[in-house]
């Protein structure tokens, strides 16, 4: 796991060989220990270079080993011997030096980086801290403010930035290993004492306390309830205020508080879940690694509204020529200006030039005859979408792939009106489409494996986290959202306020509670959907008992809010009031309080005191319960897929791992008992009735989330 060679007669070249990222597994640590010992004891060797195989220095500790007991040599004593030696050791950094990888490099006396390399201490994103000396050595090397920023955010820096900060000694466009060998030979005669970071004093700013305080407050505001960044601040404080030997002890004490925490487990689960999500399998047996996606050289977007604009930008910025279509001249011109403006702002932010020449705008579908792929993003109206797809079947060449960005309509019904149902798929983007990372790839029963592979690969090319899901109303994300938001409105009826519910959810970790989020998205969208499905408006049967629709409990308060023209932020009024239309600062509105009180009076509802615990349990257990049903129905293949959808599309707090992982952490037995309790109290709310899969998993001893698949029937798989 670490190869040893003697080069230039006197340089020991140690290459880490643990593909794909040369993670520091126990075998690699053994390898480093053995090869370093050999290098330091061989009198022929005057200097050492450490590099990684396949152009990657090292991706840090092997995260998979965190779940088990520590095996192999511990990292810090091993690295101490590198620093303490009398022979210069140079790290040749190509690809990445992350986490323990960068820490290894910080124990070396010199660091040479290839110009394309990225460096960082991303441990905080895994719920831990850089405990192989990183929190003590980086501040000594680059000072407190810069080290604090890198360690508390986990941000990766380019080789150029690393050089500017002083993390590396040289950046090269040549082979970093060869350059490092030459560098090492030149370093042989030089004294090493000033190169040993443990012997340096941390350069300390005069306003240390104020700086640490400001960073702590920023973290508490941005990452409410997240432990690791706060522990990182404490560790960096130790680097500033303690000698190295004590600081390193403090670092490991802080690590001990984090290492086995639920947050660390959740964040590490998220790391792997994100990577698992791309690995789709269809009922036919076709899967991600054996189907070749089609190359997409041109695309079209139909409809330049909220979604179409962002989709056009997402395609153009990865170099795909786009033809954008609108329904009339004025809308086309507005859409054109918006798309170009978005593309320019995006390019400016990324420091590249905007690719205007890739965009064409037209009113005629006939201009799409030669494109490789079309993404339809017109209004959420089945008849309209069908007419667009019928027309596309006539004008596009037979091989063109058809995608719909519907947020919940039947993808197969749309496929059915085309001349190529096997080439039709859903690509459900999230708003704003050029910013949000999630893409649900909705596979209809007739979608071919080739189109699934192509949509998934196109999503990846656009920088999205793509998840393959089955076709059902609302797919995965929006289907689960319904029980979650229904619970929130039922809680309003029973005695809670929008701000109390939002606060409980925000304290849990959501960036926004359900009501603030609805105000942002626009309340009219859901109102229109409810009217179309006969839940509210003139089509409702007057014989319906109040507060019941289609045989189940229904809360009309959201409709009453919309009837007053309160559509959320865009109208300056919604569940909250805002200083102006488009304003973002939400203030509780006494009119909403009155509306809810009048409603309770009308139906004789006696408000009761509702605890935050009830809010969390009712909203989140109902959410997870629907997730279990989705797994049962074969609409999602794995709990990880559901969690990834909620993390990237719905702002679920990452340190909780996603709704399914959260349920497993709470304990499936407890989730089941609470759902049974709430369902007993609300028998007319079917979403609270525990799903058969949840009951089955509890009966099987509540296996960990990674093992649920073994208990899920696959015969109903829609994937
Ligand atoms: N441990 C174990 N497996 C890892 C890993 C790690 N540190 N880093 C990557 N992998 C695995 C991935 O799970 C993936 O496996 P599969 O192919 O089975 O899905 C494979 O390596 C390739 O990874 P990516 O798909 O992510 O490849 P990429 O080229 O897109 O990205 C990367 C490469 C930038 C290194 C990225 O994998 C990454 O960010 N890795 C994690 C880096 C990190 O957080 N390191 C800190 C670890 S904690 C630590 O080091 C503690 C300490 O102080 C000692
Ligand atoms: P929108 O109302 O902002 O835009 C729709 C656009 O389509 C309008 O500009 C309209 O002029 C255009 N259009 C209508 N008929 C057309 C035709 N025949 N040819 C060309 N253009 C036509 O709607 P939005 O929000 O962009 O939604 C589009 C689709 O995306 C819907 O299916 C919606 O459900 C879905 N969606 C919406 C999300 C959102 O947050 N807004 C999120 C995810 C999906």
């Amino acid at each position: 796991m670490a190869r040893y060679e003697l080069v230039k007669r006197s340089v020991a070249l140690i290459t880490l060989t643990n593909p794909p990222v040369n993670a520091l597994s126990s075998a690699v640590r053994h390898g480093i220990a053995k090869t370093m010992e050999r290098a330091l004891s061989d009198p022929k060797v005057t200097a050492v270079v450490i590099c990684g195989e396949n152009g990657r220095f090292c991706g840090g500790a092997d995260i998979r080993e965190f779940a088990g007991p520590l095996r192999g040599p511990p990292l810090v004593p091993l690295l101490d011997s590198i620093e303490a030696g009398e022979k210069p050791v140079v790290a040749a950094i190509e690809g990445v030096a992350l986490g323990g990888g960068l820490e290894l490099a910080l124990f070396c006396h010199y660091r040479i980086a290839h110009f394309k390399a990225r460096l960082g201490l991303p441990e905080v994103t895994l719920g831990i801290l850089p405990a192989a000396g990183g929190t003590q050595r980086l501040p000594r090397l680059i000072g407190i403010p810069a080290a604090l920023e890198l360690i508390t955010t986990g941000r990766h820096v380019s080789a150029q930035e690393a050089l500017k900060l002083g993390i590396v000694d040289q950046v090269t466009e040549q082979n970093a290993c060869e350059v490092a060998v030459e560098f090492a030979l030149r370093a042989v005669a030089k004294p090493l004492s000033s190169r040993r970071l443990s012997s340096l004093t941390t350069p300390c700013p005069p306003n240390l306390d104020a700086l640490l305080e400001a960073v702590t407050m920023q973290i508490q505001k941005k990452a409410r309830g997240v432990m690791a960044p706060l522990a990182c601040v404490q560790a960096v404080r130790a680097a500033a205020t303690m000698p190295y030997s004590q600081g390193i002890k403090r670092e490991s004490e802080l690590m001990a508080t984090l290492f086995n925490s639920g947050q660390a487990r959740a964040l590490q689960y998220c790391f792997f879940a994100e990577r698992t999500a791309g690995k789709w399998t269809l009922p036919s047996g076709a899967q991600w690694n054996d189907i070749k996606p089609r190359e997409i050289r041109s695309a079209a977007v139909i409809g330049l509204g909220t979604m179409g604009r962002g989709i056009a930008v997402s395609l153009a910025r990865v170099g795909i020529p786009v033809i954008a279509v609108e329904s009339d001249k004025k809308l086309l011109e507005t859409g054109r200006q918006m798309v170009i403006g978005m593309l320019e702002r995006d390019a400016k932010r990324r420091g590249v030039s905007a690719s205007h020449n890739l965009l064409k705008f037209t009113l005629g579908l006939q201009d799409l005859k030669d494109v490789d792929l079309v993404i339809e993003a017109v209004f959420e109206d089945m008849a309209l979408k069908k007419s667009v797809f019928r027309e596309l079947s006539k004008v596009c060449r037979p091989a063109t792939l058809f995608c719909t960005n519907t947020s919940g309509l039947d993808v197969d019904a749309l496929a059915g009106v085309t001349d190529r149902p096997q080439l039709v798929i859903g690509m459900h983007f999230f708003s704003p489409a050029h910013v949000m990372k999630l893409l649900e790839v909705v596979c209809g029963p007739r979608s071919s494996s080739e189109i699934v592979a192509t949509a998934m690969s196109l999503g990846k090319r656009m920088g999205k986290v793509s998840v393959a899901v089955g076709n059902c109303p609302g797919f995965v994300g929006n289907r689960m959202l319904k029980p979650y938001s229904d619970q929130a409105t039922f809680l309003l009826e029973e005695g809670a306020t929008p701000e109390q519910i939002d606060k409980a959810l925000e304290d849990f970790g959501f960036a926004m509670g359900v009501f603030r989020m609805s105000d942002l998205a626009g309340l009219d969208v859901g109102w229109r959907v409810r009217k179309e499905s006969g839940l509210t408006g003139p089509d409702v049967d007057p014989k319906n008992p109040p507060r019941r629709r289609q045989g189940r409990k229904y809360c009309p308060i959201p409709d009453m809010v919309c009837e007053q023209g309160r559509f959320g932020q865009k109208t300056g009024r919604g569940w909250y009031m805002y200083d102006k239309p488009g304003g973002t600062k939400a203030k509780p509105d006494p009119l909403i309080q009155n509306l809810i009180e009048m409603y309770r009076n009308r139906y004789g509802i006696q408000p009761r005191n509702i605890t935050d615990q009830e809010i969390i349990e009712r909203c989140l257990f109902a959410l997870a319960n629907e997730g279990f049903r989705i797994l049962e129905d074969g609409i999602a293949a794995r709990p990880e897929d559901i969690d990834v959808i909620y993390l990237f599309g719905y702002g679920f707090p990452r340190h909780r791992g996603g709704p399914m992982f959260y349920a497993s952490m709470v304990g499936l037995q407890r989730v089941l008992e609470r759902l049974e309790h709430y369902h007993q109290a609300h028998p007319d709310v079917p979403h609270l009735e525990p799903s058969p899969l949840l009951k089955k998993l509890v009966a099987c001893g509540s296996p960990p989330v990674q093992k649920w698949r073994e208990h899920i029937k696959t015969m109903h798989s829609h994937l």
Side-chain angles (χ1 to χ4, degrees):
M1 290 282 176
R3 200 172 50 235
Y4 184 92
E5 291 160 79
L6 192 66
V7 294
K8 302 265 175 175
R9 290 204 297 269
S10 65
V11 179
L13 178 62
I14 296 174
T15 309
L16 312 184
T17 55
N18 184 18
V21 302
N22 299 320
L24 296 166
S25 62
S26 59
V28 171
R29 297 198 304 278
H30 262 302
I32 298 175
K34 243 172 72 186
T35 48
M36 269 315 292
E37 204 183 309
R38 184 169 164 193
L40 293 178
S41 60
D42 184 345
K44 282 197 297 299
V45 172
T46 55
V48 184
V49 168
I50 305 181
C51 64
E53 192 152 70
N54 294 335
R56 277 181 162 170
F57 181 69
C58 176
D62 186 336
I63 307 164
R64 286 183 204 278
E65 287 187 355
F66 288 176
L70 177 76
R71 289 177 295 121
L75 201 52
V76 175
L78 166 66
L79 299 181
D80 275 340
S81 70
I82 295 180
E83 183 183 69
E86 289 305 329
K87 297 178 185 180
V89 183
V90 184
I93 300 171
E94 292 192 320
V96 288
L98 297 174
L102 178 55
E103 291 175 296
L104 161 63
L106 292 177
F107 276 89
C108 296
H109 304 108
Y110 301 95
R111 288 157 289 280
I112 309 293
H114 185 254
F115 77 113
K116 286 192 176 155
R118 284 187 296 139
L119 300 87
L121 293 175
E123 283 88 340
V124 71
T125 64
L126 299 168
I128 54 175
L129 54 73
T135 66
Q136 303 307 300
R137 306 174 76 84
L138 194 64
R140 284 176 163 76
L141 185 62
I142 65 171
I144 297 283
L148 198 55
E149 192 263 325
L150 292 188
I151 294 170
T152 56
T153 62
R155 183 170 73 86
H156 298 182
V157 295
S158 65
Q160 288 75 9
E161 189 179 350
L163 181 66
K164 232 190 266 169
L165 287 169
I167 300 175
V168 298
D169 301 288
Q170 188 182 324
V171 172
T172 178
E173 292 192 15
Q174 290 153 25
N175 180 313
C177 228
E178 288 169 15
V179 174
V181 169
E182 295 302 327
F183 190 101
L185 285 169
R186 288 196 302 277
V188 171
K190 296 186 181 153
L192 289 178
S193 50
S194 66
R195 308 298 310 180
R196 294 189 179 104
L197 295 181
S198 62
S199 65
L200 305 184
T201 311
T202 306
C204 211
N207 57 347
L208 177 70
D209 285 337
L211 173 71
L212 296 177
E213 180 65 26
V215 173
T216 303
M217 278 170 62
Q218 212 179 342
I219 292 168
Q220 280 167 339
K221 200 165 151 214
K222 245 177 70 185
R224 213 189 289 209
V226 186
M227 288 155 35
L230 296 175
C232 288
V233 176
Q234 291 183 46
V236 173
R237 177 190 287 278
T241 55
M242 292 176 174
Y244 180 79
S245 57
Q246 281 179 32
I248 207 97
K249 275 197 199 123
R250 181 79 185 117
E251 179 187 90
S252 73
E253 280 162 20
L254 288 162
M255 177 66 152
T257 63
L258 297 176
F259 194 71
N260 291 315
S261 67
Q263 293 195 3
R265 282 171 64 192
L267 287 161
Q268 288 156 28
Y269 164 83
C270 293
F271 175 83
F272 290 114
E274 200 178 320
R275 282 154 182 83
T276 305
K279 297 176 180 162
W280 52 272
T281 305
L282 298 180
S284 63
Q287 58 180 31
W288 63 282
N289 52 359
D290 57 26
I291 305 292
K292 199 166 174 281
R294 271 208 214 158
E295 199 186 330
I296 300 300
R297 280 164 304 216
S298 61
V301 176
I302 308 180
L304 285 181
T306 311
M307 296 307 290
R309 292 167 195 166
I311 297 170
V313 170
S314 302
L315 290 162
R317 73 178 168 200
V318 295
I320 299 174
V322 182
I323 304 180
V325 188
E326 250 300 341
S327 53
D328 78 38
K329 230 170 146 183
K330 201 165 151 231
L331 290 168
L332 184 70
E333 183 48 28
T334 313
R336 192 182 72 81
Q337 285 177 13
M338 298 288 283
V339 171
I340 287 180
M342 285 158 70
L343 202 59
E344 278 173 353
R345 284 192 297 278
D346 179 75
K348 195 169 164 202
R349 199 174 42 78
R350 294 189 298 138
V352 295
S353 46
S355 33
H356 296 149
N357 55 340
L358 292 177
L359 292 163
K360 276 197 191 134
F361 296 85
T362 181
L363 290 171
L365 286 184
Q366 63 280 5
D367 290 341
L368 312 189
K369 62 184 189 330
D370 291 325
V371 295
D372 290 336
L373 171 137
V374 178
I375 302 178
E376 164 280 310
V378 303
F379 303 125
E380 186 79 340
D381 173 333
M382 185 54 118
L384 172 65
K385 286 190 193 278
K386 279 186 172 170
S387 79
V388 168
F389 277 107
R390 275 194 202 99
E391 199 57 29
L392 285 171
S393 296
K394 286 187 211 145
V395 298
C396 293
R397 61 191 173 82
T400 300
L401 308 176
F402 291 168
C403 310
T404 172
N405 176 49
T406 171
S407 33
L409 296 177
D410 183 351
V411 171
D412 194 45
L414 290 171
V417 302
T418 71
D419 59 347
R420 63 198 80 186
Q422 77 288 0
L423 297 187
V424 179
I425 201 158
M427 284 184 89
H428 181 209
F429 290 82
F430 287 71
S431 179
H434 62 305
V435 175
M436 293 290 284
K437 293 264 286 179
L438 180 65
L439 177 68
E440 277 184 328
V441 170
V442 187
C443 311
R446 290 179 275 182
S447 306
S448 68
S449 49
E450 189 190 23
I451 191 166
V452 177
T454 305
M456 292 292 285
S457 129
L458 180 60
K460 193 165 180 194
R461 188 169 162 196
M462 288 188 285
K464 306 289 176 200
V465 177
S466 310
V467 185
V469 300
N471 181 34
C472 72
F475 318 130
V476 171
N478 287 344
R479 173 170 158 181
M480 285 172 69
L481 198 60
K482 183 155 170 38
Y484 169 74
S485 48
D486 276 0
Q487 285 307 311
T489 47
F490 295 153
L491 285 160
L492 279 189
E493 284 187 341
E494 293 166 39
T497 61
E499 38 287 11
Q500 184 198 357
I501 296 170
D502 280 354
K503 181 165 182 310
L505 293 167
E506 286 160 16
D507 286 347
F508 177 81
F510 277 95
M512 270 188 197
V514 60
F515 294 105
R516 285 217 294 143
M517 179 52 91
S518 311
D519 272 0
L520 174 69
L523 305 184
D524 50 328
V525 186
W527 192 34
R528 201 172 327 122
V529 174
R530 293 194 295 279
K531 281 197 268 193
E532 275 163 23
S533 42
L535 289 167
T536 187
D539 295 340
V540 176
D541 184 349
K543 290 203 278 302
N544 242 321
R547 301 167 59 223
R548 278 187 79 80
R549 297 284 190 281
Q550 301 169 355
R552 57 181 68 178
K553 184 169 171 175
Y554 181 78
C555 172
I557 298 177
D559 303 328
M560 292 159 63
V561 172
C562 288
E563 278 155 20
Q564 299 193 356
R566 304 178 69 114
F567 294 156
Q569 285 187 8
K570 59 188 168 192
T571 55
R573 294 278 185 277
W575 291 106
Y576 293 91
M577 59 179 171
Y578 301 85
D579 52 352
K580 56 175 191 280
T584 53
K585 220 169 156 37
K587 278 202 285 186
D589 190 340
L591 289 178
I592 287 289
Q593 202 48 47
N594 282 348
L595 182 143
I596 297 171
E597 273 165 25
M598 273 164 48
Y599 171 86
R600 289 188 194 128
N601 290 340
R602 187 183 327 150
Y603 294 109
I605 303 168
Q606 194 58 42
R608 63 186 174 86
N609 199 17
I610 291 173
T611 62
D612 287 358
Q613 184 189 340
E614 178 171 354
I615 294 171
I616 294 300
E617 289 183 347
R618 292 227 346 233
C619 292
L620 296 186
F621 294 175
L623 182 74
N625 198 31
E626 193 63 23
F628 286 113
R629 291 189 203 283
I630 281 174
L631 290 170
E632 234 161 55
D633 294 349
I635 294 297
R638 300 168 280 239
E640 287 92 336
D641 292 359
I642 296 179
D643 285 335
V644 166
I645 288 172
Y646 262 76
L647 295 171
F648 288 96
Y650 296 85
F652 199 96
R654 203 173 162 92
H655 65 283
R656 306 275 191 181
M660 309 318 287
F661 184 83
Y662 174 66
S664 79
M665 290 296 273
V666 170
L668 298 185
Q669 174 80 46
R670 162 114 186 132
V671 174
L672 176 62
E673 281 165 12
R674 297 310 288 159
L675 280 169
E676 277 167 346
H677 164 82
Y678 291 123
H679 189 233
Q680 232 168 31
H682 307 276
D684 51 353
V685 181
H687 290 138
L688 290 173
E689 183 178 1
S691 82
L693 177 60
L694 171 59
K695 289 184 187 160
K696 185 174 166 186
L697 289 170
V698 171
C700 297
S702 301
V705 71
Q706 294 83 353
K707 301 241 177 227
W708 291 1
R709 267 196 108 181
E710 293 162 21
H711 302 270
I712 300 167
K713 287 175 284 180
T714 48
M715 60 190 182
H716 295 311
S717 175
H718 293 264
L719 278 165

